[in-house]
Amino acid sequence: MIAFFFLFILTVVMLLLAATGTVTMSGPIGGLALLSLVFLVFFCAGIYVAAALGVLGLLAGFVVSDRPLHLFIGEAIWIPSTNFVLVAVPLFILMGEVLLRSGLSNKLYRALNLWFRRLPGGLLHTNILACAVFSAIAGSSVATAATIGAVALPYFEKTRYSQRMVLGSLAAGGALGNLIPPGITFIVYGLITETSVGKLYLAAFLPGFMLAGLFMVLIFVYGLIYPYREEALGLSWRDLLRSLLDLIPTAVLIIVVLGTIYLGLATPTESAALGVVGALIFAAIDRKLTLKMVHAAAEATARTTSLIGLIILAAFALNYVLTSLRLPQALAAMVSGLALPSWAVMSIIIGFYIALGTFMEGFSMIITTLPVVFPIVTALGYDPIWFGVIITMLVEIALISPPDGTVVYVLQGMRITPGPITDVFVGVTPFVLVYMVGVILLMAFPDIALWLPRIVK
Amino acid sequence: MLAVLDRLRAWIERVGYVMGCAAGWLFVVCAFFISVDVLGRKFFGVSSKATVELTGYMLAFGIAWGLTDALTTRCHIRVDVLVTRMPQGLRAYMHALALAFLVVLNFFFVWRGWAVVGESWMFGAHDSSAITTPLIIPQGLWAAGMTVFLFLSVTMLLEVIVLLVLGERERVDRLLGARTLAEETAEALEAAAIATRK
């Protein structure tokens, strides 16, 4: 509902601007407006996202240009198909699938739980922390929520924690999965916009942990309002320190994956490959490594890679046509010629993504829109790296915002005590608001993201 | 007619499943290949000198060969918020429309994909890596994967059209409707069960 309302307002504003002569609806811009309209119709009709993108590109080529642009589609899709940076995507997915089945998250959760259970808010902190730490090895939000959720939910059986807060905190924690490096969204963003994935990972580091911190503050305050203390287990410091041993596999994987990227020892693709091997080794140590397990992981990886791949290929086909027609440049020129201040345009863009995210899957959302939005953003003078972090945060918000948040549905499906889906929606809402506060903070203080990439050169 | 299409679809789906498994296992191989190469380069100064190219081909192969199975399991993403709320009759036609668009896209991908292979063959193109792979091998495999995907989407479209003519809208919905919540979570739960099994 919010989405359609927002899009409606946006259309009205555009029409008003056109009527007052601020914007001329002719030439390529008029064509683009028409295309966007066709696009909206495609989406409402439930066309496959990839097919909508590709057919739109073909149409644009046939209608607007007299060159046979469609003949070059083969090259346009073969080149991204073999891109070495993109190889990181299936590898990170595979690593996540292996970790999901490896039992590593059990140990992680148990150890963190011993340390944080006595804080106001108790186990809920462990949800956020376990997700945040797990995010530093996994590249996907759904994988993070599923992995930690499977381990965490049994802990909350027969406790007096509010189901809503439990599910909400797990969804929020899951929504750190793509933001805290390494994340798949950054790879795709880097590929489409030709920015450095390594720099994006550096930039996302502080915002990611800032959000985890904000979530914990929220839980802390909640814990003060509704006090509920876990009973003391009477653990000595020795027990506590021994529990840290359980964190070793996770720590090693973090060093293998993130450490090698940050120290410049490996590219994201190489570190993803090392991560897969590392995850398999730890699964073997835990006696979870079977042929059946690897087969299930491989099968799931192939499927996910292909569904992402098809959309990427179609987006490149569309992108090729659009760039040949010089549409993005024309649009960027138009927007930078607007009388609006750049922060206002950025706010509209962010509002647009939040609205889009309520009914569109986050990943296809950015691939679909970036070719058009990115030139506008750079024309306004924003830093591409900073925008990459912002857009990833918006994708994450999309993943947990009702009514179409994938992470929310995964958690709902994993519940042990059944209940209505509205529990998850209500529970996640305060966290979504905190997430939006995070976006605003990053808009006000871009250095939260840009400081690290600047000092590490 | 319907029975023939049904059998044909089941057959392509089986082929697609095997192709999907091949794609998945190739990613496992790919991970080991890159790891060995990185470690070899860092510690022993040896490298295949073709890792970037070869793993790129593996990706192209993996994407193309996994497409069919992703369609079988209804993984390809549609924006179906509105469609799932439509009455069943209308919904069946929307499914057919979506599939028709997919066929158009696939047709162009396959047609132009083979054209890329043809050009490489005509010019005898090789890549510039140490092992100078003739490009028609990876490109041919890539185009072949997309071709099977096209076959499946065409077969499904024909089947859907026949079903619509016969007025069996419910079966169309079963063939193409969005994966239900139960299906999606069953998958996550299955994976989690493997993890927690002692």
Side-chain angles (χ1 to χ4, degrees), chain A residues 381-421:
Chain A
Y382 284 102
D383 191 301
I385 302 282
W386 172 84
F387 187 63
V389 179
I390 289 277
I391 208 167
T392 306
M393 292 171 86
L394 297 172
V395 167
E396 297 283 37
I397 292 176
L399 280 172
I400 53 174
S401 61
D404 201 31
T406 323
V407 168
V408 171
Y409 284 105
V410 168
L411 282 172
Q412 166 72 7
M414 298 178 93
R415 286 174 79 168
I416 302 166
T417 12
I421 182 118

Side-chain angles (χ1 to χ4, degrees), chain A residues 222-285:
Chain A
Y222 169 84
L224 291 178
I225 301 173
Y226 302 96
Y228 167 65
R229 275 277 165 112
E230 293 275 329
E231 69 231 61
L233 287 177
L235 293 171
S236 66
W237 278 101
R238 257 187 80 159
D239 296 326
L240 278 178
L241 287 177
R242 185 173 298 153
S243 74
L244 289 183
L245 284 179
D246 278 347
L247 292 179
I248 288 176
T250 316
V252 170
L253 279 179
I254 292 179
I255 293 168
V256 165
V257 176
L258 269 190
T260 50
I261 300 178
Y262 282 161
L263 292 175
L265 294 174
T267 64
T269 308
E270 290 167 345
S271 76
L274 293 171
V276 172
V277 176
L280 286 170
I281 291 174
F282 282 118
I285 293 174

Side-chain angles (χ1 to χ4, degrees), chain B residues 100-198:
Chain B
F101 271 82
L102 194 63
V103 168
V104 173
L105 176 79
N106 289 347
F107 169 75
F108 274 93
F109 274 12
V110 169
W111 176 37
R112 296 324 298 170
W114 283 111
V116 169
V117 181
E119 264 166 50
S120 296
W121 187 69
M122 211 157 67
F123 297 112
H126 293 261
D127 66 21
S128 51
S129 75
I131 51 168
T132 58
T133 325
L135 280 177
I136 52 163
I137 298 174
Q139 287 172 345
L141 288 169
W142 170 71
M146 294 196 297
T147 309
V148 178
F149 184 44
L150 175 66
F151 284 157
L152 180 61
S153 49
V154 169
T155 313
M156 282 171 81
L157 182 62
L158 290 177
E159 195 173 345
V160 165
I161 291 173
V162 173
L163 284 173
L164 282 179
V165 170
L166 296 176
E168 298 216 41
R169 290 172 192 154
E170 198 192 329
R171 277 180 69 181
V172 175
D173 207 34
R174 247 183 298 151
L175 193 65
L176 283 170
R179 272 150 51 99
T180 59
L181 216 54
E183 281 175 292
E184 246 170 84
T185 48
E187 208 171 285
L189 287 178
E190 192 188 6
I194 297 178
T196 44
R197 200 163 48 212
K198 291 289 178 309

